[in-house]
Short mmCIF file of all heavy atoms in Angstrom, two decimals:
data_model
loop_
_atom_site.label_atom_id
_atom_site.label_comp_id
_atom_site.label_asym_id
_atom_site.label_seq_id
_atom_site.Cartn_x
_atom_site.Cartn_y
_atom_site.Cartn_z
N MET V 156 -32.33 63.53 -78.09
CA MET V 156 -33.15 62.46 -78.66
C MET V 156 -32.35 61.19 -78.93
O MET V 156 -32.67 60.12 -78.40
CB MET V 156 -33.84 62.96 -79.95
CG MET V 156 -34.92 64.01 -79.75
SD MET V 156 -36.33 63.41 -78.78
CE MET V 156 -35.83 63.90 -77.13
N PRO V 157 -31.30 61.21 -79.75
CA PRO V 157 -30.54 59.96 -79.96
C PRO V 157 -29.83 59.48 -78.70
O PRO V 157 -29.70 58.27 -78.49
CB PRO V 157 -29.55 60.34 -81.06
CG PRO V 157 -29.42 61.83 -80.99
CD PRO V 157 -30.77 62.32 -80.57
N VAL V 158 -29.40 60.42 -77.86
CA VAL V 158 -28.75 60.03 -76.60
C VAL V 158 -29.72 59.23 -75.73
O VAL V 158 -29.36 58.22 -75.15
CB VAL V 158 -28.23 61.28 -75.84
CG1 VAL V 158 -27.80 60.89 -74.42
CG2 VAL V 158 -27.07 61.91 -76.60
N THR V 159 -30.97 59.70 -75.67
CA THR V 159 -31.98 59.02 -74.88
C THR V 159 -32.28 57.62 -75.40
O THR V 159 -32.38 56.66 -74.64
CB THR V 159 -33.27 59.85 -74.84
OG1 THR V 159 -33.01 61.12 -74.22
CG2 THR V 159 -34.37 59.13 -74.07
N VAL V 160 -32.43 57.48 -76.72
CA VAL V 160 -32.75 56.19 -77.30
C VAL V 160 -31.62 55.18 -77.07
O VAL V 160 -31.86 54.04 -76.65
CB VAL V 160 -33.04 56.32 -78.81
CG1 VAL V 160 -33.19 54.94 -79.45
CG2 VAL V 160 -34.32 57.14 -79.04
N VAL V 161 -30.38 55.61 -77.31
CA VAL V 161 -29.23 54.71 -77.11
C VAL V 161 -29.06 54.36 -75.64
O VAL V 161 -28.82 53.19 -75.28
CB VAL V 161 -27.94 55.35 -77.66
CG1 VAL V 161 -26.72 54.50 -77.32
CG2 VAL V 161 -28.05 55.53 -79.17
N SER V 162 -29.21 55.34 -74.76
CA SER V 162 -29.08 55.09 -73.32
C SER V 162 -30.20 54.17 -72.83
O SER V 162 -29.97 53.28 -72.02
CB SER V 162 -29.11 56.41 -72.55
OG SER V 162 -28.06 57.25 -72.94
N GLY V 163 -31.42 54.41 -73.32
CA GLY V 163 -32.53 53.54 -72.97
C GLY V 163 -32.30 52.12 -73.39
O GLY V 163 -32.63 51.17 -72.67
N CYS V 164 -31.72 51.96 -74.56
CA CYS V 164 -31.36 50.61 -75.03
C CYS V 164 -30.36 49.97 -74.07
O CYS V 164 -30.51 48.78 -73.72
CB CYS V 164 -30.78 50.70 -76.44
SG CYS V 164 -30.08 49.14 -77.07
N GLY V 165 -29.37 50.72 -73.63
CA GLY V 165 -28.39 50.20 -72.68
C GLY V 165 -29.02 49.79 -71.37
O GLY V 165 -28.67 48.75 -70.79
N ILE V 166 -29.98 50.60 -70.87
CA ILE V 166 -30.64 50.27 -69.60
C ILE V 166 -31.45 48.98 -69.75
O ILE V 166 -31.41 48.10 -68.88
CB ILE V 166 -31.53 51.44 -69.16
CG1 ILE V 166 -30.67 52.64 -68.78
CG2 ILE V 166 -32.40 51.03 -67.97
CD1 ILE V 166 -31.45 53.92 -68.53
N PHE V 167 -32.19 48.86 -70.83
CA PHE V 167 -32.96 47.64 -71.05
C PHE V 167 -32.04 46.42 -71.24
O PHE V 167 -32.37 45.31 -70.79
CB PHE V 167 -33.89 47.79 -72.23
CG PHE V 167 -35.21 48.41 -71.91
CD1 PHE V 167 -35.64 49.56 -72.55
CD2 PHE V 167 -36.06 47.84 -70.96
CE1 PHE V 167 -36.87 50.14 -72.23
CE2 PHE V 167 -37.29 48.39 -70.64
CZ PHE V 167 -37.69 49.55 -71.28
N CYS V 168 -30.91 46.60 -71.91
CA CYS V 168 -29.95 45.50 -72.06
C CYS V 168 -29.47 45.04 -70.70
O CYS V 168 -29.33 43.83 -70.45
CB CYS V 168 -28.77 45.95 -72.92
SG CYS V 168 -29.11 46.01 -74.71
N ALA V 169 -29.21 45.98 -69.80
CA ALA V 169 -28.77 45.64 -68.46
C ALA V 169 -29.85 44.85 -67.72
O ALA V 169 -29.55 43.88 -67.01
CB ALA V 169 -28.42 46.91 -67.68
N VAL V 170 -31.11 45.21 -67.91
CA VAL V 170 -32.21 44.48 -67.27
C VAL V 170 -32.29 43.06 -67.84
O VAL V 170 -32.50 42.09 -67.09
CB VAL V 170 -33.54 45.23 -67.47
CG1 VAL V 170 -34.70 44.42 -66.88
CG2 VAL V 170 -33.49 46.59 -66.79
N PHE V 171 -32.11 42.91 -69.15
CA PHE V 171 -32.11 41.59 -69.76
C PHE V 171 -31.00 40.72 -69.16
O PHE V 171 -31.23 39.56 -68.82
CB PHE V 171 -31.89 41.71 -71.26
CG PHE V 171 -33.15 41.81 -72.08
CD1 PHE V 171 -33.47 42.98 -72.75
CD2 PHE V 171 -34.03 40.74 -72.19
CE1 PHE V 171 -34.63 43.09 -73.50
CE2 PHE V 171 -35.20 40.82 -72.93
CZ PHE V 171 -35.49 42.01 -73.60
N VAL V 172 -29.80 41.28 -69.04
CA VAL V 172 -28.65 40.50 -68.54
C VAL V 172 -28.85 40.16 -67.06
O VAL V 172 -28.59 39.03 -66.63
CB VAL V 172 -27.34 41.27 -68.75
CG1 VAL V 172 -26.17 40.55 -68.08
CG2 VAL V 172 -27.05 41.44 -70.25
N ALA V 173 -29.29 41.14 -66.26
CA ALA V 173 -29.52 40.88 -64.85
C ALA V 173 -30.61 39.82 -64.65
O ALA V 173 -30.50 38.95 -63.79
CB ALA V 173 -29.91 42.18 -64.13
N GLY V 174 -31.65 39.88 -65.47
CA GLY V 174 -32.71 38.88 -65.40
C GLY V 174 -32.20 37.49 -65.76
O GLY V 174 -32.58 36.50 -65.14
N ALA V 175 -31.32 37.44 -66.75
CA ALA V 175 -30.73 36.16 -67.13
C ALA V 175 -29.85 35.61 -66.02
O ALA V 175 -29.84 34.41 -65.74
CB ALA V 175 -29.92 36.32 -68.43
N ALA V 176 -29.10 36.50 -65.36
CA ALA V 176 -28.26 36.07 -64.24
C ALA V 176 -29.10 35.48 -63.12
O ALA V 176 -28.71 34.51 -62.47
CB ALA V 176 -27.44 37.26 -63.74
N PHE V 177 -30.28 36.05 -62.89
CA PHE V 177 -31.18 35.53 -61.85
C PHE V 177 -31.64 34.11 -62.20
O PHE V 177 -31.89 33.30 -61.29
CB PHE V 177 -32.37 36.46 -61.71
CG PHE V 177 -33.38 36.00 -60.70
CD1 PHE V 177 -33.07 35.96 -59.35
CD2 PHE V 177 -34.65 35.61 -61.10
CE1 PHE V 177 -34.03 35.53 -58.42
CE2 PHE V 177 -35.60 35.18 -60.19
CZ PHE V 177 -35.27 35.14 -58.83
N GLN V 178 -31.71 33.80 -63.47
CA GLN V 178 -32.17 32.48 -63.88
C GLN V 178 -31.15 31.37 -63.57
O GLN V 178 -31.50 30.19 -63.59
CB GLN V 178 -32.51 32.47 -65.38
CG GLN V 178 -33.73 33.33 -65.71
CD GLN V 178 -34.23 33.10 -67.12
OE1 GLN V 178 -34.50 31.98 -67.52
NE2 GLN V 178 -34.35 34.17 -67.88
N PHE V 179 -29.90 31.74 -63.30
CA PHE V 179 -28.94 30.74 -62.85
C PHE V 179 -29.40 30.15 -61.52
O PHE V 179 -29.14 28.99 -61.20
CB PHE V 179 -27.56 31.36 -62.67
CG PHE V 179 -26.79 31.50 -63.95
CD1 PHE V 179 -26.48 32.76 -64.45
CD2 PHE V 179 -26.37 30.40 -64.65
CE1 PHE V 179 -25.77 32.91 -65.63
CE2 PHE V 179 -25.65 30.53 -65.84
CZ PHE V 179 -25.36 31.78 -66.33
N VAL V 180 -30.08 30.97 -60.72
CA VAL V 180 -30.56 30.53 -59.41
C VAL V 180 -31.97 29.98 -59.50
O VAL V 180 -32.26 28.89 -59.00
CB VAL V 180 -30.52 31.71 -58.41
CG1 VAL V 180 -31.05 31.27 -57.05
CG2 VAL V 180 -29.11 32.26 -58.29
#
Side-chain angles (χ1 to χ4, degrees):
M156 291 297 93
V158 169
T159 298
V160 172
V161 173
S162 301
C164 172
I166 293 171
F167 274 123
C168 284
V170 176
F171 269 112
V172 173
F177 178 67
Q178 293 192 54
F179 279 113
V180 179

